[in-house]
């Protein structure tokens, strides 16, 4: 689906571009800052969807709407409006706009849902499925099925609109490690009565399959056939497989998916390529999940508040206890390991022995599918962050004061010149000295400090992402999201959805 953005506020345009770039079903055709520019762009490359402000210079949103309607009956036009302009938004709906979106409620999740609705409307109006809407529908199904709770009536209806026609009978889920998949995908046994309904990327690490059995089979026969089917999938592909129990209620599919994912988590500790069945029934799994999240959130706060030397010891204790207790929420566990790794990388820079291969090590950590491999990488980073045979590089008093000032005032709009003045140094000299002593330049160090605090807030609070951006020193949420994604490979919205 081709999208055109029209708004005279640069920050709104940047944020919309960032959100649209996350959607594989959308392609941005242009950005305009008034209606006249938008009309020229539309005539050059006709968009499927136009997101436009109402009040703009030169040509406003209502005038643009009329001009677009004269050119195309197919294009969808969504009006972006402030609450004070609500009457104009209603007028726009009467005159042919598809929807309106209040700027005060413009969050990534709401925008993605809107994009999905527009894509489905276009698909229905054309009487045929198009590639863009297919990708968007896949994204919607994945989002709903990863909800880790029973489906609502609205979600059931939305799945039906996406073409999902599952029966409330014999439903189950299988989970496998992405890294273990063959290039041609999963091979499924042909003789089984199981029907493969859907498959999707649960995460970068896990692939999920959902299926069901014929209604005529008894409960006991379905359970027997599921075990045999999952075992055949495991043997045919030479991989670990986590399987759920069976449910006859479609509402419970997200819970069965969660159960299969946690069953696969057993393989993270055992390292054996075999079939793993649920260790906990659904009710107990819910209690365990809350306990795991609470424990990891507490550890995160402790790690951020602990001195460097004690942090290494704390991490070793954590890895030992995690191995004993088997935290089966592997995604949550490995995300915390990634954050700990980043802390060690920063310590290594401060000690004067930066990890030149940090990006490669982190990538291996985030792709690991065994506790043994992940622990080895994390302990290597811990050892290299402050080598026993290499004393920490002495830090001058001025740079030490600068570091303390940055850590105390990271939420403020700091500049190199401002911090240099605080420690009575010439800015040029301060810049050279800071990089020499800290192993990275001032801007990168400040960014690392801010992003580490943002992760802590995402994990331990319910603050909106916009508020978190401001709390760590970013006035522009779009720039914050872009910076965060460069560091962690996902937006802060995605990070929160995948974690605590």
């Amino acid at each position: 689906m081709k999208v055109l953005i029209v708004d005279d506020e640069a920050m709104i345009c940047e944020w919309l571009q960032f959100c649209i770039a996350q959607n594989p079903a959308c392609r941005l055709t242009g950005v305009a800052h008034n209606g006249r520019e938008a009309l020229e762009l539309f005539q050059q490359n006709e968009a499927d969807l136009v997101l436009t402000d109402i009040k703009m210079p030169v040509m406003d949103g209502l005038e643009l709407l009329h001009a677009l309607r004269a050119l195309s009956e197919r294009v969808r036009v969504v009006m972006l409006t402030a609450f004070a302009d609500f009457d104009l938004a209603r007028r726009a709906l009467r005159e042919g706009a598809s929807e309106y979106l209040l700027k005060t409620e413009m969050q990534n999740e709401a925008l993605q849902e809107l994009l999905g609705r527009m894509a489905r409307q276009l698909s229905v109006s054309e009487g045929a499925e198009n590639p863009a809407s297919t990708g968007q529908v896949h994204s919607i199904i994945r989002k709903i099925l990863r909800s880790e709770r029973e489906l609502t009536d609205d979600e059931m209806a939305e799945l039906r609109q996406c073409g999902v026609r599952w029966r409330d009978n014999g439903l189950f889920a299988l989970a496998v490690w992405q890294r273990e998949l063959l290039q041609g995908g999963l091979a499924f046994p042909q003789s089984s009565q199981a029907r493969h309904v859907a498959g999707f990327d649960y995460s970068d690490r896990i692939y999920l399959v959902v299926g069901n059995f014929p209604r005529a089979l008894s409960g006991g026969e379905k359970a027997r056939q599921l075990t045999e089917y999952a075992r055949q999938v495991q043997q045919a592909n030479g991989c670990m497989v986590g399987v759920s129990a069976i449910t006859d209620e479609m509402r419970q599919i997200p819970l069965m998916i969660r159960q299969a994912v946690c069953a696969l988590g057993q393989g993270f500790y055992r390292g054996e390529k075999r079939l793993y069945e649920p260790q906990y029934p659904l009710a107990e799994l819910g209690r365990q999940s809350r306990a795991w999240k609470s424990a990891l959130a507490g550890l995160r706060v402790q790690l951020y508040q602990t001195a460097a030397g004690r942090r290494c010891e704390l991490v070793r204790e954590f890895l030992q206890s995690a191995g004993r207790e088997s935290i089966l929420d592997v995604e949550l566990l490995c995300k915390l390991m990634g954050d700990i790794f980043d802390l060690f990388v920063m310590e290594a820079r401060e000690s004067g022995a930066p990890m030149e291969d940090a990006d490669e090590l982190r990538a291996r950590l985030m792709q690991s599918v065994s506790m043994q491999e992940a622990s080895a990488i994390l302990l290597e980073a811990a050892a290299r962050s402050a080598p026993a045979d290499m004393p920490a590089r002495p830090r001058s008093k001025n740079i030490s004061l600068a570091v303390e000032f940055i850590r105390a005032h990271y939420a403020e709009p700091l500049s190199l010149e401002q911090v240099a003045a605080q420690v009575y140094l010439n800015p040029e000299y301060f810049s050279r000295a800071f990089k020499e002593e800290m192993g990275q330049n001032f801007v990168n160090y400040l960014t690392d400090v801010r992003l580490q605090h943002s992760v802590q807030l995402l994990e331990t609070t319910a603050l909106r992402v916009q508020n978190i951006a401001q709390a760590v020193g970013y006035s522009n949420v779009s720039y914050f999201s872009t910076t965060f994604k460069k560091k962690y490979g996902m937006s802060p919205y995605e990070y929160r959805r995948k974690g605590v």
Side-chain angles (χ1 to χ4, degrees):
M1 181 171 66
K2 297 184 291 185
V3 184
L4 172 62
I5 297 171
V6 194
D7 201 298
D8 59 336
E9 293 185 46
M11 188 178 80
I12 296 293
C13 291
E14 289 177 9
W15 184 81
L16 289 170
Q17 288 180 75
F18 174 79
C19 294
I20 290 169
Q22 297 178 24
N23 194 316
C26 295
R27 179 169 65 85
L28 187 66
T29 63
V31 178
H33 299 295
N34 60 62
R36 184 176 296 170
E37 290 180 7
L39 201 55
E40 292 175 358
L41 288 173
F42 185 84
Q43 290 171 325
Q44 295 168 13
N45 188 359
E46 185 172 326
D48 302 307
L49 171 64
V50 176
L51 303 174
T52 179
D53 192 9
I54 289 186
K55 287 190 172 180
M56 296 180 294
V58 186
M59 177 189 285
D60 65 23
L62 285 172
E63 293 174 301
L64 174 62
L65 172 63
H66 298 153
L68 290 172
R69 282 281 163 258
L71 292 171
S72 171
E73 288 296 323
R74 177 182 177 278
V75 64
R76 266 41 182 183
V77 181
V78 174
M79 314 304 290
L80 309 176
T81 178
F83 185 78
D85 301 324
F86 186 64
D87 288 340
L88 289 175
R90 288 192 296 186
R91 178 183 165 189
L93 291 176
R94 291 194 299 269
E95 297 180 11
S98 301
E99 286 194 33
Y100 71 88
L101 188 62
L102 288 173
K103 290 186 177 181
T104 54
E105 299 176 357
M106 219 165 48
Q107 299 179 3
N108 187 38
E109 186 172 352
L111 182 64
Q112 299 299 342
E113 290 175 357
L114 182 145
L115 292 172
R117 288 196 300 276
M118 294 299 102
R120 290 195 297 276
Q121 287 180 20
L122 286 164
S123 178
V124 170
S125 68
E126 292 167 359
E129 189 176 18
N130 61 53
S133 63
T134 299
Q136 182 62 26
V137 163
H138 182 85
S139 176
I140 292 169
I141 293 173
R142 176 179 178 273
K143 173 180 173 292
I144 292 175
L145 296 185
R146 290 187 76 255
S147 60
E148 299 184 10
R149 52 166 172 72
E150 288 195 358
L151 298 174
T152 65
D153 290 341
D154 288 344
E155 288 169 332
M156 297 274 283
E158 194 167 6
L159 285 173
R160 284 192 290 272
Q161 290 175 3
C162 290
V164 176
R165 296 290 183 268
W166 299 336
R167 299 188 301 271
D168 282 353
N169 185 73
L171 293 157
F172 64 88
L174 299 179
V176 299
W177 299 123
Q178 295 265 24
R179 205 167 84 176
E180 292 184 339
L181 291 180
L182 300 175
Q183 288 188 348
L186 276 172
F188 295 97
Q190 300 299 314
S191 58
S192 174
Q193 294 189 64
R195 184 170 68 96
H196 177 204
V197 177
F200 62 93
D201 295 338
Y202 179 85
S203 68
D204 293 338
R205 199 185 312 267
I206 297 173
Y207 185 75
L208 225 296
V209 174
V210 179
N212 64 7
F213 286 99
R215 192 181 301 275
L217 297 178
S218 67
E221 181 60 18
K222 289 174 190 172
R224 187 193 69 78
Q225 287 207 24
L226 174 58
T227 299
E228 180 60 26
Y229 174 76
R231 183 173 289 111
Q232 289 177 7
V233 171
Q234 185 273 316
Q235 293 173 349
N237 296 278
C239 64
M240 298 182 194
V241 173
V243 64
S244 73
I246 291 179
T247 181
D248 289 333
E249 296 183 40
M250 185 174 168
R251 291 182 183 277
Q252 290 196 333
I253 277 292
L255 301 179
M256 312 316 291
I257 287 173
R258 174 73 171 163
Q259 195 177 45
V261 167
C262 288
L264 181 64
Q266 298 173 64
F268 186 74
Y269 298 93
R270 298 187 187 180
E272 301 172 8
K273 292 188 176 182
R274 44 162 284 196
L275 171 63
Y276 293 97
E277 296 184 294
Q279 184 172 334
Y280 301 105
L282 288 181
E284 177 61 21
L285 181 60
R287 287 191 290 271
Q288 286 289 343
S289 294
R290 290 189 290 273
W292 294 332
K293 290 180 179 181
S294 177
L296 294 183
L299 175 65
R300 180 184 300 281
V301 173
Q302 195 175 1
L303 284 166
Y304 275 90
Q305 296 175 345
T306 300
R310 169 59 181 152
R311 186 178 293 136
C312 292
E313 182 182 347
L314 193 62
V315 168
R316 290 188 179 89
E317 293 172 0
F318 156 66
L319 292 175
Q320 291 174 359
S321 65
R324 288 193 305 269
E325 298 170 13
S326 295
I327 297 174
L328 300 183
D329 192 332
V330 173
E331 293 299 309
L332 187 66
L333 176 66
C334 288
K335 189 168 71 172
L336 176 59
M337 288 185 173
D339 296 340
I340 296 171
F341 180 89
D342 291 340
L343 284 175
F344 287 140
V345 170
M346 177 175 281
E347 287 174 9
R349 287 172 179 159
E350 293 185 4
S351 71
M355 298 182 203
E356 302 297 339
D357 57 347
D359 290 343
E360 179 186 345
L361 277 175
R362 196 181 199 284
R364 282 175 48 206
L365 175 63
M366 301 318 292
Q367 293 169 2
S368 61
V369 294
S370 78
M371 186 64 173
Q372 182 179 4
E373 179 184 7
S375 296
I377 294 171
L378 203 56
L379 291 174
E380 179 183 347
R384 291 170 61 183
S385 66
D389 58 346
M390 180 178 178
R393 175 187 293 174
R395 191 183 299 163
S396 67
K397 181 179 179 180
N398 298 87
I399 300 302
S400 295
L401 290 173
V403 168
E404 291 178 12
F405 184 82
I406 292 169
R407 289 179 172 173
H409 299 274
Y410 64 87
E412 301 170 13
L414 294 181
S415 68
L416 183 145
E417 289 76 15
Q418 180 184 357
V419 177
Q422 286 290 328
V423 296
Y424 309 105
L425 292 176
N426 173 276
E428 291 185 7
Y429 175 80
F430 170 73
S431 177
R432 292 195 302 271
F434 190 93
K435 184 173 183 178
E436 181 181 345
E437 295 189 28
M438 300 303 296
Q440 62 183 146
N441 64 34
F442 166 80
V443 171
N444 290 342
Y445 182 82
L446 176 60
T447 298
D448 281 351
V449 170
R450 285 173 167 171
L451 291 182
Q452 285 183 8
H453 281 279
S454 74
V455 164
Q456 184 179 3
L457 292 173
L458 285 167
E459 295 285 358
T460 60
T461 75
L463 288 172
R464 296 174 62 186
V465 171
Q466 290 90 333
N467 299 122
I468 290 175
Q470 293 174 356
V472 298
Y474 292 95
S475 58
N476 185 323
V477 68
S478 174
Y479 181 67
F480 166 63
S481 294
T482 301
T483 304
F484 191 99
K485 188 169 185 178
K486 286 181 181 178
K487 174 78 173 178
Y488 296 107
M490 65 186 78
S491 73
Y493 304 92
E494 294 168 326
Y495 191 96
R496 170 168 275 170
R497 286 198 297 270
K498 290 186 176 184
V500 176

